[in-house]
Amino acid sequence: MLAERFARAASVAALHADAVDREGRFPAEAVAALKAERLLGLQIPRQFGGEGSGLTDIAEGCFALGQSCSAAAMVFAMHHIKVSSLVSHGLDSAWHCRLMERIAGEQLLVASSTTEAGIGGDLRNSLCAVEAEGATFALGKDASVISYGAQADLILATARRNAEAATSDQVLVALMADQITLERTSTWDTLGMRGTCSDGFRLEARGVPVEQILPKPFAEIAAQSMLAASHLLWSSVWFGIASYAVDRARVFVQAEARKRQGQVPPTALRLAELSNALQAMKATLVSALRRFEDAQGNADLLDSLAFSVMLNNLKTTASDMAVDIVQRALGIVGLAGYKNGTPFSLGRPLRDVLSAPLMIGNDRILANTAKLLLVQKSAGQLMSA
Amino acid sequence: MVSPEAIRNILARNEALAPIAGEISEDENLFDKGLDSFGSVQLMLALEEHFDVEFPDHLLSRKSFSTIRSIRETVSSLVQAEAA
């Protein structure tokens, strides 16, 4: 059963979560457990040795891991966001089909390099360019962030199509770890999400076969698979973190109730409010996942403006709600949550979840939604996007 | 009938496409030519204003606005629907 495999990996992640956070190190034990449970190839089609899982299955894994170790959950999410791009856009390319076979067979970990010095987090623009020479190409990129870049087996990197192309005319290239050099240019020493090891690097690749460039323009990949996968899977991680915090609050309130039997503890009212907020967050996430699954195969719907608005709203809503929920859980458990090393400690989840509104800043997303709303029309039907 | 020139005139007022609007063929992908999401929204607004139509939600996709030909077809279908 998939749920049991996720649970086993999550229990390993939980054991090491505090050390990963304290030392700011890669969640190596959790990722080894994910590989041992063969969870890195889930989305790969069956004909290439995977299990053909949809994003809803992956979201369950993000949720399970999010309750244990946010960093491990985010690594799992980011890996599967990249794999979703390969599965959605790599089937026409023999090289990428072979890559999918290897990801499933060897449980390769895939990282992403989009962020670039001088461009920042604007995914849809690149400065660096593919420099093709005959059958191979070279690429040099000032990648100001590559999460777990040093630990990944391969990196999918954005770059301009060629030296003359506009900054938005991008391709996505697959670079195997043994084809590149990474020189660390900055260190990920952060408030939370410390184990994603999102260091900065100077990435250099030479003599890479041109078949490793995905044939689809990155504009299409971003619009049709990356945006949806990112917002759905990140939100699932944040929902896991929020759920863990609410669980801690509930156990705390129940312990209070057992101490003073016959009375409802004052914190129970706060817990009731919190359960309300968690349910609203879950409803937002689950409805977005359902809409995404229902829209599979309907490229027009996935590509539509209304769908982008829906996904943008998911991201801003889920990220803000997750922070609010964890903070309110801390309010319920009080000092026992503020202190590290108690059964109710919420310091690590709180620091981790504070990254949620900042990962692609909510203001940037709201500004994008604002533009889309200039032309969007009716609200449609109750059960539509 | 909506002419390619009418569409090109509107593209010529679009920031990303202005310098090359005259050279884009009917089937070249505008997004490959530098049109971004904001540019496409601006393009939709300009087309609605010029042809006095409103694009319903199901036509507000990249596909409808990806080439001069697809824009012509989209706009023509709306203009005809309105005349009928």
Side-chain angles (χ1 to χ4, degrees):
Chain A
M1 272 265 300
L2 189 54
E4 287 161 10
R5 291 156 69 196
F6 282 136
R8 284 193 294 267
S11 66
V12 173
L15 276 181
H16 302 279
D18 280 327
V20 163
D21 171 62
R22 195 169 47 242
E23 297 160 26
R25 68 166 175 83
F26 183 67
E29 299 87 350
V31 172
L34 290 169
K35 292 185 175 192
E37 296 288 346
R38 318 238 5 118
L39 294 166
L40 296 188
L42 283 178
Q43 278 187 97
I44 307 280
R46 287 180 189 279
Q47 73 261 35
F48 302 129
E51 298 177 43
S53 301
L55 270 195
T56 305
D57 287 334
I58 310 301
E60 286 287 359
C62 294
F63 169 61
L65 290 162
Q67 296 170 71
S68 308
C69 172
S70 317
M74 200 43 91
V75 170
F76 180 72
M78 291 191 276
H79 164 83
H80 274 291
I81 292 163
K82 301 325 284 180
V83 173
S84 83
S85 293
L86 280 176
V87 171
S88 304
H89 306 285
L91 293 172
D92 299 336
S93 146
W95 192 90
H96 293 92
C97 289
R98 172 76 192 115
L99 176 62
M100 284 188 257
E101 268 175 7
R102 286 193 59 196
I103 292 172
E106 301 167 36
Q107 294 288 298
L108 302 182
L109 180 65
V110 189
S112 168
S113 169
T114 56
T115 310
E116 188 175 5
I119 290 279
D122 179 7
L123 173 88
R124 283 289 291 102
N125 281 289
S126 290
L127 291 178
C128 66
V130 168
E131 294 164 49
E133 229 177 88
T136 66
F137 70 89
L139 174 66
K141 183 167 184 171
D142 285 315
S144 34
V145 175
I146 306 181
S147 293
Y148 55 96
Q151 289 82 16
D153 298 303
L154 68 136
I155 296 175
L156 294 188
T158 49
R160 284 184 296 136
R161 184 179 301 280
N162 55 53
E164 284 77 46
T167 57
S168 63
D169 187 5
Q170 298 162 290
V171 289
L172 192 63
V173 302
L175 304 168
M176 306 307 291
D178 61 8
Q179 293 176 314
I180 56 173
T181 57
L182 289 175
E183 189 193 331
R184 191 174 277 104
T185 51
S186 67
T187 306
W188 181 252
D189 180 6
T190 47
L191 181 65
M193 284 290 179
R194 297 171 53 79
T196 59
C197 298
S198 307
D199 296 339
F201 297 95
R202 172 67 194 179
L203 181 159
E204 291 284 357
R206 290 207 185 287
V208 181
V210 290
E211 305 91 82
Q212 296 184 212
I213 304 171
L214 266 162
K216 281 269 177 72
F218 179 67
E220 277 178 42
I221 297 172
Q224 289 171 14
S225 70
M226 252 186 83
L227 182 80
S230 302
H231 292 342
L232 291 167
L233 296 186
W234 290 354
S235 296
S236 304
V237 172
W238 302 328
F239 182 65
I241 301 173
S243 299
Y244 173 79
V246 173
D247 274 344
R248 297 294 84 207
R250 195 186 58 243
V251 172
F252 185 87
V253 171
Q254 288 172 349
E256 296 269 287
R258 280 196 291 273
K259 274 185 233 155
R260 296 188 194 78
Q261 288 187 20
Q263 294 173 35
V264 177
T267 48
L269 210 60
R270 297 284 92 83
L271 180 66
E273 288 175 339
L274 203 52
S275 118
N276 196 335
L278 190 72
Q279 183 179 321
M281 182 182 175
K282 182 174 182 173
T284 304
L285 172 59
V286 169
S287 79
L289 281 165
R290 290 232 168 92
R291 280 168 183 169
F292 180 78
E293 293 285 357
D294 289 348
Q296 286 314 296
N298 186 344
D300 284 351
L301 180 55
L302 285 171
D303 227 16
S304 73
L305 217 133
F307 211 78
S308 301
V309 170
M310 188 274 285
L311 288 168
N312 282 354
N313 285 342
L314 167 68
K315 195 278 168 179
T316 52
T317 303
S319 57
D320 284 340
M321 287 192 83
V323 171
D324 180 54
I325 288 169
V326 178
Q327 276 183 336
R328 284 158 63 179
L330 178 61
I332 290 172
V333 303
L335 276 178
Y338 193 69
K339 198 174 166 206
N340 292 326
T342 84
F344 301 103
S345 299
L346 287 174
R348 175 170 52 80
L350 178 60
R351 287 184 288 102
D352 289 339
V353 85
L354 285 171
S355 66
L358 313 177
M359 279 179 72
I360 312 189
N362 279 0
D363 274 356
R364 186 195 291 246
I365 294 190
L366 282 171
N368 179 268
T369 307
K371 289 170 197 165
L372 301 180
L373 290 177
L374 295 178
V375 285
Q376 199 195 358
K377 298 302 178 322
S378 75
Q381 293 166 300
L382 176 63
M383 300 306 285
S384 75
Chain B
M1 192 56 201
V2 179
S3 70
E5 282 61 45
I7 308 289
R8 280 205 185 86
N9 285 338
I10 291 169
L11 295 182
R13 297 202 298 269
N14 190 279
E15 198 182 341
L17 301 175
I20 50 167
E23 304 151 27
I24 302 174
S25 75
E26 272 199 78
D27 293 308
E28 273 183 303
N29 190 312
L30 300 177
F31 291 96
D32 292 347
K33 293 283 165 187
L35 190 64
D36 59 10
S37 71
F38 184 47
S40 67
V41 167
Q42 294 298 331
L43 176 60
M44 292 170 194
L45 287 172
L47 290 163
E48 287 189 338
E49 175 69 17
H50 183 85
F51 293 103
D52 194 22
V53 291
E54 280 201 14
F55 298 112
D57 262 352
H58 72 273
L59 291 179
L60 292 178
S61 65
R62 293 172 65 86
K63 207 171 101 186
S64 307
F65 297 90
S66 57
T67 64
I68 291 178
R69 187 182 304 278
S70 63
I71 293 173
R72 280 178 60 201
E73 285 166 2
T74 306
V75 173
S76 298
S77 71
L78 290 171
V79 172
Q80 279 165 8
E82 228 152 80

